Amino acid sequence: MKEKLFQLLVVLLSLFTTTKILAQEPSALTHLLLQKKLITQKEADSLLQLSVLHQKENSESRNFSIGLEFRPRFEYRDGYKQLRSETSEPAYFASQRSRLIFSYEQAKFKFHTSIQDLRVWGQYGQTSTSGSLNVFEAYAETEISEHLSIKLGRQKVELDNGRIFSAANWSQAGRAHDGINFIYNNNKIHSEFITAFNQTSEHIFETNFAPTTFSNYKMLAIHYLKAKLDKHFSISTINSADGYESKTNSKTMHTRGTSGGRIEFERGNLYLTLSGYYQYGQLQTGTKISAYYFQPEIQWKANKLTSRLGAEIMSGNNAEKPSEVSKSFVPLYGVAWKFMGNMDYFTSFPTDVKNGGLINPYAHLIYDVNKKLSLRSDFHLFYLENKVKNSSNQTINSYLGFENDLSIKYKCNNFITADLGISYMTPKKSMETLKDGNSSKTPVWTYLMITFKPELFTSKK
């Protein structure tokens, strides 16, 4: 009798604590209990009724939260993005990002919006009524089935390590897309299919898209897949197509394709990865493109120190052998700041490298002093991947220079973080062809950024 009561107690505890099992197979559990004669039919009916009430209560639960992100950044620039000249003077200023974040969740539905204001201190004056208030994100997400959901509206697109698609968080403005995202997720596979179609305004006829104040695609389609093969290996793929309307013929769409992925191996303190992408189709101008990108990296963690050694290789054109096909890889809508040096010498491709491509061997050292304080030093070497000529029609040396980025991150508490960074570069003469200025003058850049990100209000019903 005692053994029977103990079995009944275990089953009942499992029944009431494992809500997922209840939600999936409540009738199967009660049938099992009846078969073992641990409960009567009347007790089984009562348990089923309790399960239904519990599910209904969970389905009606609502969560609402308000968050804040306030991020002032103070910068000193004397060679940031561009080489110093004989007459250039340093720039120093403060910029600020303020975001108010609203999130609402209930069963099978979520709404999220982020309102942001961007400004340089003093930009609008003391009594100005102008400003830069805008919506960074505004989307609704609803569950179609247990593993499938759909997200509609303005949203961040962050895939893989952010090299091809990123929210570009370092930028005060960030980056978001207007579109639809179908998301599939289970224990081993995560998949996203994103599509977007842009217009500058409402139309009565036609779908012409030729914005004059900004450059944006007319059509975008992305498929992202990440699969965990076993406890050590995982793979991911990105296949995308972005289309631009021809500047001379609104009936013509120039579409660029980008396909590739990443393989990762992780075991203990060792992490190995290799990613590669191929670009094809047409550029905005209608020029055909055939370009590639590779990134091998090895990472080792030892106690408090994390070491990374890797390289980025972006193909480029050969100025000595002009071609009707572009060989210059463009890293789409990703972030460059954390990959190719904090001084942002190479952010706009292929313009910043005169279509010559880039090879960027790098080493990162990150030392976690404790849970609050971490130190970091990034080293970059920059080489042109292909031939580039100067204004005298001479092919320049492929070695462009060296950059070192030093930074300190201090987490004051769970909602305040301070970042201090100092960067310098030792450019070579060939850098003058890419970035006008004097390569003998050392570029320097430093910043101090404080991020406040508290949760202001939370309500759960």
Side-chain angles (χ1 to χ4, degrees), residues 124-129:
Y124 298 110
Q126 298 176 24
T127 58
S128 174
T129 57

Side-chain angles (χ1 to χ4, degrees), residues 6-60:
F6 178 75
Q7 291 176 349
L8 178 60
L9 180 61
V10 170
V11 173
L12 288 174
L13 284 172
S14 300
L15 186 64
F16 283 104
T17 57
T18 313
T19 56
K20 184 175 179 181
I21 296 175
L22 281 173
Q24 292 177 345
E25 297 291 342
S27 58
L29 283 172
T30 53
H31 180 69
L32 180 62
L33 292 173
L34 282 170
Q35 275 189 331
K36 292 183 175 293
K37 297 181 179 180
L38 294 173
I39 59 173
T40 64
Q41 183 62 53
K42 186 177 180 180
E43 289 170 332
D45 293 339
S46 299
L47 287 174
L48 280 173
Q49 188 175 4
L50 283 172
S51 174
V52 171
L53 289 172
H54 184 68
Q55 290 180 51
K56 185 178 179 182
E57 182 182 345
N58 283 341
S59 67
E60 292 176 351

Side-chain angles (χ1 to χ4, degrees), residues 106-153:
Q106 66 178 51
K108 300 185 178 182
F109 177 78
K110 177 182 179 180
F111 175 76
H112 176 90
T113 188
S114 175
I115 313 299
Q116 72 177 9
D117 174 72
L118 311 172
R119 61 184 61 235
V120 173
W121 285 8
Q123 180 178 4
Y124 298 110
Q126 298 176 24
T127 58
S128 174
T129 57
S130 60
S132 60
L133 194 67
N134 62 79
V135 174
F136 175 58
E137 285 189 288
Y139 66 82
E141 182 175 354
T142 184
E143 185 180 308
I144 298 174
S145 64
E146 182 183 359
H147 299 293
L148 181 65
S149 64
I150 180 172
K151 184 190 291 186
L152 306 96

Side-chain angles (χ1 to χ4, degrees), residues 392-458:
S392 301
N393 203 35
Q394 298 173 324
T395 300
I396 63 174
N397 191 320
S398 62
Y399 178 50
L400 300 173
F402 164 81
E403 180 178 333
N404 183 206
D405 304 315
L406 302 166
S407 60
I408 301 173
K409 181 184 287 291
Y410 181 71
K411 189 173 182 180
C412 307
N413 50 44
N414 61 357
F415 65 89
I416 301 177
T417 304
D419 293 88
L420 173 65
I422 301 173
S423 298
Y424 68 92
M425 179 184 286
T426 56
K428 295 301 180 181
K429 187 70 175 178
S430 54
M431 186 72 85
E432 294 179 6
T433 301
L434 307 183
K435 305 287 181 176
D436 295 333
N438 189 340
S439 59
S440 64
K441 293 183 175 293
T442 302
V444 178
W445 172 64
T446 183
Y447 72 92
L448 172 64
M449 183 171 71
I450 305 173
T451 305
F452 303 86
K453 204 167 183 179
E455 188 172 64
L456 303 179
F457 174 80
T458 301

Side-chain angles (χ1 to χ4, degrees), residues 66-248:
I66 302 175
L68 168 71
E69 184 185 29
F70 178 69
R71 195 176 80 171
R73 186 162 69 213
F74 309 90
E75 296 185 50
Y76 173 88
R77 297 179 175 181
D78 195 14
Y80 171 81
K81 272 196 172 185
Q82 186 175 329
L83 292 176
R84 299 167 57 188
S85 70
E86 300 294 339
T87 58
S88 62
E89 295 289 337
Y92 34 93
F93 60 91
S95 63
Q96 174 184 311
R97 177 169 87 188
S98 307
R99 285 181 180 169
L100 198 57
I101 305 160
F102 300 88
S103 292
Y104 171 82
E105 290 186 56
Q106 66 178 51
K108 300 185 178 182
F109 177 78
K110 177 182 179 180
F111 175 76
H112 176 90
T113 188
S114 175
I115 313 299
Q116 72 177 9
D117 174 72
L118 311 172
R119 61 184 61 235
V120 173
W121 285 8
Q123 180 178 4
Y124 298 110
Q126 298 176 24
T127 58
S128 174
T129 57
S130 60
S132 60
L133 194 67
N134 62 79
V135 174
F136 175 58
E137 285 189 288
Y139 66 82
E141 182 175 354
T142 184
E143 185 180 308
I144 298 174
S145 64
E146 182 183 359
H147 299 293
L148 181 65
S149 64
I150 180 172
K151 184 190 291 186
L152 306 96
R154 188 164 183 81
Q155 56 194 277
K156 295 185 292 187
V157 177
E158 294 186 285
L159 304 177
D160 191 39
N161 64 353
R163 195 63 182 101
I164 305 299
F165 288 95
S166 168
N169 187 56
W170 168 255
S171 165
Q172 295 286 45
R175 180 186 288 116
H177 301 254
D178 299 306
I180 303 172
N181 188 357
F182 294 89
I183 304 167
Y184 179 85
N185 193 41
N186 63 25
N187 293 333
K188 292 187 176 181
I189 294 176
H190 178 83
S191 174
E192 297 185 33
F193 176 71
I194 303 164
T195 183
F197 180 78
N198 290 331
Q199 294 286 277
T200 52
S201 62
E202 295 182 5
H203 292 282
I204 302 299
F205 298 105
E206 304 296 341
T207 60
N208 295 345
F209 185 72
T212 56
T213 58
F214 61 92
S215 175
N216 199 11
Y217 54 79
K218 182 175 183 177
M219 176 277 297
L220 176 68
I222 313 164
H223 181 251
Y224 170 70
L225 174 69
K226 182 163 187 176
K228 191 170 180 61
L229 303 181
D230 57 33
K231 63 180 181 179
H232 299 301
F233 281 98
S234 65
I235 59 169
S236 59
T237 62
I238 295 178
N239 291 280
S240 74
D242 54 335
Y244 288 80
E245 185 176 293
S246 169
K247 299 292 184 182
T248 57

